[in-house]
Amino acid sequence: MAMVAQLHRESSSGSINKHLDSGKYVRYTAEQVEALERVYSECPKPSSLRRQQLIRGCPILSNIEPKQIKVWFQNRRCREKQRKESVRLHSVNKKFSAMNKLLMEENDRLQKQVSQLVCENGYMRHQLQSASATTTDASCESAATTPRHVLKDTNNPAGLLLIAEETLADFLSKATGTAVDWVQMPGMKPGPDSVGIFAISKSCGGVAARACGLVSLGPTKIAEILKDRSSWFRDCRSLEVFTMFPAGNGGTIELVYTQTYAPTTLAPARDFWTLRYTTTLENGSLVICERSLSGTGAGPSTVAAPQFLRAEMLPSGYLIRPCEGGGSIIHIVDHLNLKASSVPEVLRPLYESPNIVAQKMTIAALQYIRQIAQETSGEVAYGLGRQPAVLRTFSQRLSRGFNDAINSFNDDGWSLLNSDGAEDVVVAINSSKNLSAGSNNLSFIGGVLCAKASMLLQNVPPAVLVRVLREHRSEWADFTVDAFSATSLKARLYAYPGMRPTGFTGSQIIMPLGNTIEHEEMLEVIRLEGHSLGQEDAFISRDIHLLQMCSGVDENAVGACSELVFAPIDEIFPDDVPLVPSGFRIIPLDSKPGDSQDTLTAQRTLDLTSNLEVDPETNHGAGNATSSYSARSVLTIAFQFPFESNLQDNVATMARQYVRSVISSVQRVSMAISPLGLTPTFGPKLSPGSPEAITLAHWICQSYSFHVGTELVMADTIGAESILKTLWRHQDAILCCSLKVLPVFIFANQAGLDMLETTLVALQDITLDKIFDDAGRKALFSEFAKIMERGFACLPGGICMSTMGRHISYEQAIVWKVFAAEENTLHCLAFSFVNWSFV
């Protein structure tokens, strides 16, 4: 026994190892153990050539067999793994202990809530039996619910301190008590691997959300992060502390003015004038609570105030309790009244949903703190050698620039341009735009122009749509427009897109930079491979690089906002690279029974499917499905373009056409991914009062055959639908224009849309005279009398122009009259551009 005890003591000191083959113990001297430890620390890998060199170069290890040295290293590695596992298990045990404590507190709160509900039930029964008691209790309840802070003077510290103490009590009753009827948030199940416990209000004034979780940071650090609301709350435009004074009990009282962004272009932004109270409780917990001060006119008066609507923050805040062994348990409550009655009815779910408040504020705050904690501990790895703080700054700048574009505040220098007659796309310019990020400043000669629109999506999952937009950029984006924006930023050359024609190979490479720990947000660099269409630039790279942020790809996240925001950058972009973001935002609306009236009232700017042709049977089925259930979301699109002063009108026209083109592409994508199976055909619905597409295709082909004497489509094409399909896929660009004082295009096949670089939605905004140059207009006018007399004419080859400003050559243009209804009514003029190509 004495021998075994001695062997155990020597083994624990590292001087004895058991040989795996013989089972015998080998004794090492202290010098040998020190030498082996030194070798192991320099070369922990077993198959390292460097390790063998160190062993051979150490004379004190020369008398030890190689197998024995190998066994020592194996045992040393096992002891290292055991130590790491012991540390990990200890950390997990602390986490489970803290979570268990949290769950026990939550269970106690639920028991209190059950008891309160039982008491209220008995109380209501008693009231039903006694009418007089009902009157008395109602008067008492009315007096009890009168907000006492209204009676206090907010102009002196004593009155503010009373309001602060009431705010603290109200907040604690929500965070750990039963002041609000909390229910578990859908899709958020508590457990060891979850971020925390999340709940939303069931029925209360305003909308409220609550979260509690364990974070491996100290209370002071957490409080510092949470007070800097603009760092983690993406909708926060600015936060300014106007007054701060001590509360006399070790705490501080602050008067805070906060401005938040509007999520869409269809409603004004919100601002808050609040009192924020920071104090420490007797048990060592740190509390930050906040509430609005009474009076919508209270607070600072700013230039941008008319663009904001004053919202109300009911008692909210953060309770941070330190844990034994490090870390903190944090309780978060957000309770807001966003004045939903001031927005269109179709948008009210955005301002009445506790799920959206939870995702944007409550969960975002807890996730951001956990992200900082893991970055501090070194558990997060990022690509391209970027530091986590730099990548967070990139994401914040992309989000802030996108929000600035959507809101276009006057005090930022934005102003609206006159509309072109359509209300679907709003264009704003900022002539004083100065993109500054550290030492790299970029002031545009003309400024920045933004084209934006918002619309309603029906039965389209936001997470699926944003994934499709991210992974299939070629389905909606125009590479020429990307090249225009990138060139303007890279070289400060404001060349119009048509001046340097560039082609897109279709290849898109996504290079990830990093993502948050819950993978709710991704930051990446996109490389679009392009090539020059001109011989003089054949060997110059035309690749476009974009910095892109994508979020909200989880379909199970109830109320989560999905975004795809990107900005052109240089191939090697510095940390302070100027960013001009553009992108998409999709916010889900709470599903509710068929609300066809909302869809009808939003025809112009909120109806996404009004211009798509759907098969009659499919459309009928979809209507039945939508009448029973309607999953809706709001899509907001904003694209920014740098411009030079003398090109403002051209860039504005291009921006409108491009955004309408993107809208048309999103329409097709939305219909394709709709779970109800609403799939569009290849053709459009024409404007109200015009014939159906099939009938018009028949008229075009019949009139061509009558006037020209040859067939426009193959003679063996049978059936009206086949004629339309063949005409749509015809290799020549076929366009139809009206016979008004100012002729506009009313139809184009796929080749015609490609030639004009436009969409079916924007086609009717293009007039005939805009596509021809002077020679083309003269040729058309000279042949117009012949067209009216003979029914057709052949125009010589020439040059025309697309809506993007690019020049197009064609060998010949055939013009003929299109008759309707038995050749007695002239309906329109048709054009066929033969063998067209971009110059």
Side-chain angles (χ1 to χ4, degrees):
M1 293 295 293
M3 179 65 70
V4 173
Q6 181 182 1
L7 289 175
H8 178 75
R9 287 192 300 269
E10 294 177 348
S11 175
S12 62
S13 65
S15 62
I16 286 183
N17 267 266
K18 186 176 181 181
H19 199 287
L20 296 180
D21 296 333
S22 63
K24 297 180 180 180
Y25 287 92
V26 180
R27 184 183 298 275
Y28 298 97
T29 65
E31 292 79 7
Q32 290 174 335
V33 172
E34 183 180 355
L36 289 171
E37 287 285 355
R38 187 166 55 252
V39 172
Y40 182 82
S41 63
E42 293 188 18
C43 301
K45 294 184 179 180
S47 59
S48 173
L49 180 62
R50 174 64 177 164
R51 174 187 287 185
Q52 302 300 327
Q53 294 174 349
L54 291 174
I55 293 174
R56 287 195 297 267
C58 189
I60 198 171
L61 301 179
S62 60
N63 58 345
I64 304 178
E65 296 182 5
K67 288 185 178 180
Q68 295 176 350
I69 295 177
K70 180 179 179 182
V71 170
W72 189 94
F73 280 122
Q74 289 175 345
N75 291 340
R76 178 66 177 79
R77 195 161 55 251
C78 289
R79 289 195 298 273
E80 181 70 18
K81 289 182 178 179
Q82 289 174 353
R83 185 190 64 80
K84 291 181 179 179
E85 183 67 13
S86 176
V87 173
R88 189 188 68 83
L89 290 176
H90 182 66
S91 174
V92 171
N93 183 55
K94 289 197 303 182
K95 178 181 178 181
F96 276 120
S97 299
M99 289 296 295
N100 182 58
K101 181 180 179 181
L102 191 63
L103 291 173
M104 290 177 63
E105 293 174 353
E106 182 70 9
N107 185 55
D108 291 341
R109 189 193 65 81
L110 292 174
Q111 288 181 353
K112 292 178 182 178
Q113 186 174 359
V114 170
S115 301
Q116 181 179 355
L117 291 174
V118 171
C119 293
E120 290 178 356
N121 186 35
Y123 174 71
M124 292 300 296
R125 288 182 179 180
H126 178 69
Q127 286 215 353
L128 291 174
Q129 296 173 359
S130 174
S132 60
T134 302
T135 305
T136 303
D137 293 337
S139 63
C140 294
E141 183 180 357
S142 176
T145 55
T146 301
R148 289 181 294 170
H149 75 274
V150 176
L151 305 177
K152 295 182 172 61
D153 186 6
T154 59
N155 296 321
N156 64 77
L160 292 175
L161 181 58
L162 290 176
I163 297 175
E165 293 294 344
E166 280 193 359
T167 304
L168 174 62
D170 292 344
F171 161 68
L172 291 177
S173 66
K174 296 176 183 179
T176 60
T178 58
V180 174
D181 187 9
W182 300 110
V183 296
Q184 181 176 309
M185 186 174 178
M188 307 294 286
K189 296 182 179 180
D193 297 328
S194 66
V195 179
I197 301 173
F198 303 100
I200 56 176
S201 58
K202 183 179 180 181
S203 57
C204 68
V207 288
R210 173 179 173 269
C212 52
L214 176 66
V215 182
S216 57
L217 287 176
T220 305
K221 180 63 176 178
I222 294 175
E224 178 185 342
I225 294 173
L226 291 174
K227 281 192 171 184
D228 185 16
R229 187 173 289 147
S230 59
S231 66
W232 54 266
F233 182 32
R234 295 292 174 83
D235 282 356
C236 180
R237 184 193 183 214
S238 64
L239 186 149
E240 186 175 358
V241 178
F242 275 75
T243 305
M244 180 175 67
F245 56 88
N249 55 357
T252 58
I253 293 178
E254 301 165 293
L255 300 184
V256 182
Y257 178 65
T258 305
Q259 292 181 347
T260 62
Y261 291 106
T264 71
T265 63
L266 304 171
R270 266 54 177 169
D271 64 352
F272 299 86
W273 175 240
T274 58
L275 177 146
R276 185 166 68 185
Y277 181 39
T278 305
T279 187
T280 303
L281 303 181
E282 294 180 357
N283 60 3
S285 299
L286 183 61
V287 177
I288 307 169
C289 54
E290 191 171 0
R291 84 181 308 161
S292 287
L293 295 175
S294 60
T296 57
S301 176
T302 64
V303 178
Q307 292 185 273
F308 289 88
L309 179 67
R310 181 62 52 85
E312 181 183 9
M313 179 182 292
L314 302 170
S316 308
Y318 317 100
L319 171 62
I320 311 166
R321 295 187 296 180
C323 294
E324 297 180 1
S328 305
I329 293 177
I330 177 173
H331 295 256
I332 303 175
V333 173
D334 291 303
H335 195 173
L336 306 174
N337 181 0
L338 297 174
K339 309 297 181 182
S341 60
S342 64
V343 301
E345 185 176 355
V346 70
L347 293 179
R348 287 181 187 174
L350 292 181
Y351 298 85
E352 296 175 339
S353 170
N355 291 318
I356 293 179
V357 171
Q359 291 286 354
K360 283 192 171 185
M361 297 185 65
T362 318
I363 298 177
L366 191 55
Q367 287 177 338
Y368 185 80
I369 295 172
R370 283 171 52 87
Q371 180 78 23
I372 297 296
Q374 293 208 7
E375 291 176 0
T376 304
S377 63
E379 300 178 25
V380 182
Y382 290 92
L384 301 184
R386 302 282 179 169
Q387 294 297 321
V390 174
L391 298 182
R392 282 201 313 274
T393 302
F394 278 142
S395 298
Q396 292 165 359
R397 290 175 57 200
L398 284 172
S399 180
R400 186 175 186 84
F402 186 57
N403 278 321
D404 284 334
I406 291 175
N407 288 262
S408 301
F409 291 116
N410 294 336
D411 59 343
D412 285 337
W414 290 96
S415 60
L416 296 180
L417 281 184
N418 294 329
S419 174
D420 62 351
E423 301 174 357
D424 53 345
V425 178
V426 178
V427 178
I429 61 168
N430 191 335
S431 300
S432 60
K433 189 74 170 179
N434 182 15
L435 300 177
S436 59
S439 60
N440 196 342
N441 294 336
L442 181 59
S443 298
F444 298 111
I445 299 176
V448 175
L449 181 145
C450 175
K452 53 188 177 179
S454 292
M455 63 207 68
L456 186 72
L457 298 181
Q458 295 278 359
N459 304 302
V460 180
V464 177
L465 178 57
V466 82
R467 284 204 305 266
V468 172
L469 295 176
R470 170 180 175 262
E471 297 169 4
H472 303 279
R473 186 180 182 86
S474 59
E475 292 293 327
W476 57 267
D478 189 316
F479 184 81
T480 306
V481 176
D482 290 332
F484 166 64
S485 299
T487 303
S488 300
L489 289 171
K490 183 187 299 185
R492 305 190 187 186
L493 298 176
Y494 299 87
Y496 202 60
M499 297 181 183
R500 302 185 67 85
T502 305
F504 178 45
T505 64
S507 177
Q508 170 183 310
I509 301 175
I510 300 178
M511 298 172 284
L513 284 177
N515 53 261
T516 53
I517 55 176
E518 301 298 326
H519 296 276
E520 71 277 0
E521 183 177 287
M522 299 172 288
L523 187 67
E524 53 204 10
V525 173
I526 309 298
R527 189 178 77 188
L528 307 175
E529 295 185 346
H531 61 88
S532 174
L533 299 180
Q535 296 295 329
E536 70 279 1
D537 299 327
F539 300 101
I540 299 178
S541 173
R542 293 296 179 193
D543 292 352
I544 303 300
H545 293 82
L546 304 172
L547 181 65
Q548 179 170 280
M549 178 187 67
C550 182
S551 62
V553 295
D554 183 6
E555 296 181 53
N556 299 320
V558 179
C561 169
S562 300
E563 288 185 339
L564 184 70
V565 183
F566 49 87
I569 56 173
D570 202 352
E571 182 176 0
I572 303 176
F573 58 100
D575 295 345
D576 58 352
V577 58
L579 299 177
V580 183
S582 304
F584 307 86
R585 172 180 292 153
I586 313 156
I587 309 176
L589 298 171
D590 286 346
S591 301
K592 62 182 184 178
D595 193 356
S596 59
Q597 185 63 32
D598 283 347
T599 305
L600 293 176
T601 57
Q603 282 277 346
R604 186 63 179 169
T605 58
L606 295 179
D607 187 5
L608 183 64
T609 60
S610 62
N611 289 314
L612 286 178
E613 175 69 30
V614 183
D615 292 334
E617 295 181 2
T618 305
N619 195 19
H620 177 71
N624 292 339
T626 306
S627 64
S628 61
Y629 178 79
S630 177
R632 305 174 302 171
S633 55
V634 176
L635 169 67
T636 299
I637 302 174
F639 283 82
Q640 297 191 77
F641 305 93
F643 69 90
E644 201 173 33
S645 298
N646 60 340
L647 291 177
Q648 175 180 316
D649 294 339
N650 292 336
V651 176
T653 302
M654 181 268 291
R656 284 194 181 96
Q657 297 292 344
Y658 183 59
V659 169
R660 287 167 182 159
S661 171
V662 172
I663 290 173
S664 178
S665 301
V666 173
Q667 289 175 354
R668 295 194 300 269
V669 172
S670 299
M671 295 292 283
I673 65 177
S674 172
L676 296 180
L678 299 175
T679 55
T681 61
F682 46 83
K685 259 187 181 177
L686 302 177
S687 59
S690 63
E692 293 295 332
I694 294 176
T695 304
L696 179 58
H698 179 72
W699 291 349
I700 293 172
C701 296
Q702 188 179 51
S703 299
Y704 184 91
S705 176
F706 175 79
H707 294 298
V708 183
T710 60
E711 299 293 335
L712 182 62
V713 298
M714 297 177 60
D716 57 353
T717 301
I718 300 175
E721 292 187 5
S722 297
I723 293 176
L724 174 58
K725 190 173 183 179
T726 305
L727 184 67
W728 180 260
R729 298 177 178 175
H730 201 284
Q731 62 180 357
D732 295 337
I734 299 174
L735 308 169
C736 292
C737 72
S738 62
L739 293 173
K740 299 179 181 179
V741 177
L742 186 63
V744 296
F745 290 104
I746 61 174
F747 174 80
N749 66 349
Q750 185 63 61
L753 296 177
D754 293 341
M755 185 185 78
L756 294 181
E757 296 187 292
T758 188
T759 65
L760 293 166
V761 176
L763 183 66
Q764 297 182 24
D765 296 326
I766 305 173
T767 57
L768 179 63
D769 63 315
K770 287 184 178 180
I771 72 167
F772 286 105
D773 59 3
D774 291 338
R777 281 192 289 268
K778 291 179 180 179
L780 177 61
F781 293 154
S782 64
E783 297 288 335
F784 190 77
K786 185 186 297 184
I787 296 172
M788 291 295 102
E789 180 181 353
R790 297 177 51 190
F792 82 101
C794 295
L795 305 181
I799 299 293
C800 62
M801 185 175 295
S802 75
T803 58
M804 296 295 182
R806 294 210 283 175
H807 293 86
I808 305 158
S809 66
Y810 56 92
E811 290 185 0
Q812 186 184 35
I814 304 174
V815 188
W816 70 97
K817 295 190 293 186
V818 176
F819 285 99
E822 304 298 332
E823 303 179 8
N824 56 12
T825 303
L826 182 59
H827 182 263
C828 61
L829 283 182
F831 293 77
S832 177
F833 293 87
V834 181
N835 293 334
W836 65 272
S837 62
F838 289 107
V839 178

